[in-house]
Amino acid sequence: MSNLLHVSSSPHVRSQSSTTTIMADVVIALIPATAWGVYRNGWHAFWLVMACILTSVATEYVYQKLMKKPVTIHDLSAMVTGILLALNLPQTFPIWMAVVGSVFAVLVVKQVFGGIGQNFMNPALAARCFLLISFGSQMTSYAVDTVSGATPLALIKNGASDASVQTILAGDKLALKDLFLGNIGGCIGEVSTLMILIGAAYLLIRKVISWKTPVMYLLTFTIFMGLFAGRGFDMTYLAAELCTGGIMLGAFFMATDYTTSPITPNGKLLYGVVLGLVTGIFRIWSGSAEGVSYAIIFCNLLVPLIEKVTVPTAFGKGRVKNVSK
């Protein structure tokens, strides 16, 4: 009798998704925030985005060619890195500095460690921190309606009293509605919470990302700020904190990065909690008003530990219980 069973090596269940399709979905999801950033900030913002994309893709291509490795620019991961870096830059940022940051993101943070899937921290955020250290004044120079000034988050952080914060939020250009829609100063792609949420909804519907990390991140951050920021659970203040400083962009587009985030279900939840706590600590007690970039990079380093303590027990294994006769 012939053998009717043909057993192949694992995996036995395969997904139709690939790195290219996943990255294509991320690019599509970033279009609303990118388009709004360009619309609000003009042609210089557009050229910044293009410079970051082209430099990121070219750096990956040249490095892989020189190292005689397979060229992987078709997977769109370098393009995603370029877009995310551009969205984390001020609209007045010099293009040549953006090029330097893009090379650092792809070459130093990604390719040197083995390419996609091997980097231990998010390349775009690592490059942003590198640029903050190298070009601090340019990275903190923002403008809205061609008028330079501090970001709303910086104004809120430096407010001496509840009254001053309420004055900021009640101003024509800094009203809560403007914070949500993106009619404020800040980085190109992080200012419009509405556009970011549209992109996030697309990723959730397509099941590219899980809700666990972003929801736990934002929930933990909100509770932490309510408890320790000194203003209680003032919903206006908490909403302003959520709509500024890049926390929405970070929660949905960078904290969910496949390579640098946990893969275990409970790990995703714990990761979100730790992100919320660390971001809150940076926002309240650090010299910088923002803190999202540093919080995500710091928590990237904790991912191996988080996965170790949250790995599910294998089927058929567990503690042996003593059963008395």
Side-chain angles (χ1 to χ4, degrees), residues 260-280:
T260 57
S261 63
I263 61 174
T264 60
N266 290 335
K268 294 178 186 294
L269 295 172
L270 179 58
Y271 184 58
V273 171
V274 177
L275 279 169
L277 294 175
V278 175
T279 303

Side-chain angles (χ1 to χ4, degrees), residues 38 79 89 125 145 172 178 185 195 213 223-224 233 261 275-276 303 306 311:
V38 171
M79 182 178 182
L89 298 177
L125 283 183
D145 294 334
D172 290 339
D178 288 334
M195 297 301 170
T213 294
I223 294 173
F224 187 91
F233 287 88
S261 63
L275 279 169
V303 168
I306 292 174
V311 62

Side-chain angles (χ1 to χ4, degrees), residues 204-280:
L204 290 169
I205 292 171
R206 292 280 295 170
K207 297 183 179 179
V208 173
I209 64 173
S210 168
W211 62 268
K212 293 183 175 66
T213 294
V215 170
M216 291 305 297
Y217 183 2
L218 298 174
L219 180 62
T220 302
F221 172 77
T222 302
I223 294 173
F224 187 91
M225 296 299 288
L227 292 174
F228 298 105
R231 297 185 176 94
F233 287 88
D234 181 341
M235 293 299 105
T236 302
Y237 167 73
L238 293 177
E241 286 283 351
L242 289 171
C243 290
T244 55
I247 190 169
M248 288 293 181
L249 186 67
F252 288 104
F253 288 95
M254 285 171 282
T256 55
D257 176 32
Y258 283 19
T259 303
T260 57
S261 63
I263 61 174
T264 60
N266 290 335
K268 294 178 186 294
L269 295 172
L270 179 58
Y271 184 58
V273 171
V274 177
L275 279 169
L277 294 175
V278 175
T279 303

Side-chain angles (χ1 to χ4, degrees), residues 7-298:
V7 180
S8 63
S9 62
S10 61
H12 303 295
V13 179
R14 301 177 185 272
S15 172
Q16 297 298 318
S17 298
S18 65
T19 302
T20 303
T21 59
I22 291 171
M23 292 299 155
D25 279 332
V26 176
V27 171
I28 293 171
L30 287 169
I31 289 175
T34 306
W36 178 259
V38 171
Y39 168 74
R40 281 290 299 165
N41 300 298
W43 282 106
H44 188 74
F46 172 79
W47 293 120
L48 273 175
V49 174
M50 294 304 298
C52 288
I53 293 174
L54 294 175
T55 304
S56 297
V57 173
T59 301
E60 182 163 299
Y61 177 84
V62 171
Y63 176 84
Q64 291 172 340
K65 277 292 188 181
L66 291 176
M67 296 294 107
K68 301 186 184 304
K69 294 184 175 184
V71 176
T72 60
I73 59 174
H74 62 275
D75 65 17
L76 303 181
S77 62
M79 182 178 182
V80 169
T81 297
I83 297 174
L84 287 174
L85 175 58
L87 297 188
N88 278 279
L89 298 177
Q91 56 271 56
T92 57
F93 198 66
I95 290 178
W96 73 267
M97 293 182 184
V99 170
V100 172
S102 301
V103 173
F104 179 87
V106 175
L107 181 61
V108 178
V109 185
K110 183 182 177 183
Q111 290 301 326
V112 168
F113 288 94
I116 186 171
Q118 304 298 319
N119 49 285
F120 66 96
M121 64 176 62
N122 186 282
L125 283 183
R128 183 177 194 269
C129 293
F130 167 75
L131 292 173
L132 276 168
I133 295 171
S134 303
F135 311 108
S137 61
Q138 290 86 353
M139 282 291 292
T140 54
S141 176
Y142 303 100
V144 60
D145 294 334
T146 70
V147 179
S148 298
T151 63
L153 183 60
L155 294 173
I156 292 171
K157 180 180 176 65
N158 295 328
S161 65
D162 288 351
S164 64
V165 173
Q166 294 302 323
T167 300
I168 291 171
L169 295 176
D172 290 339
K173 292 182 181 292
L174 298 177
L176 194 57
K177 181 181 72 173
D178 288 334
L179 294 178
F180 181 75
L181 295 178
N183 298 321
I184 58 173
C187 293
I188 294 171
E190 70 180 23
V191 295
S192 178
T193 302
L194 175 62
M195 297 301 170
I196 294 170
L197 289 177
I198 290 173
Y202 175 81
L203 292 180
L204 290 169
I205 292 171
R206 292 280 295 170
K207 297 183 179 179
V208 173
I209 64 173
S210 168
W211 62 268
K212 293 183 175 66
T213 294
V215 170
M216 291 305 297
Y217 183 2
L218 298 174
L219 180 62
T220 302
F221 172 77
T222 302
I223 294 173
F224 187 91
M225 296 299 288
L227 292 174
F228 298 105
R231 297 185 176 94
F233 287 88
D234 181 341
M235 293 299 105
T236 302
Y237 167 73
L238 293 177
E241 286 283 351
L242 289 171
C243 290
T244 55
I247 190 169
M248 288 293 181
L249 186 67
F252 288 104
F253 288 95
M254 285 171 282
T256 55
D257 176 32
Y258 283 19
T259 303
T260 57
S261 63
I263 61 174
T264 60
N266 290 335
K268 294 178 186 294
L269 295 172
L270 179 58
Y271 184 58
V273 171
V274 177
L275 279 169
L277 294 175
V278 175
T279 303
I281 290 171
F282 278 126
R283 283 254 178 125
I284 296 174
W285 291 297
S286 75
S288 172
E290 192 244 336
V292 172
S293 300
Y294 294 111
I296 294 178
I297 284 183
F298 174 77

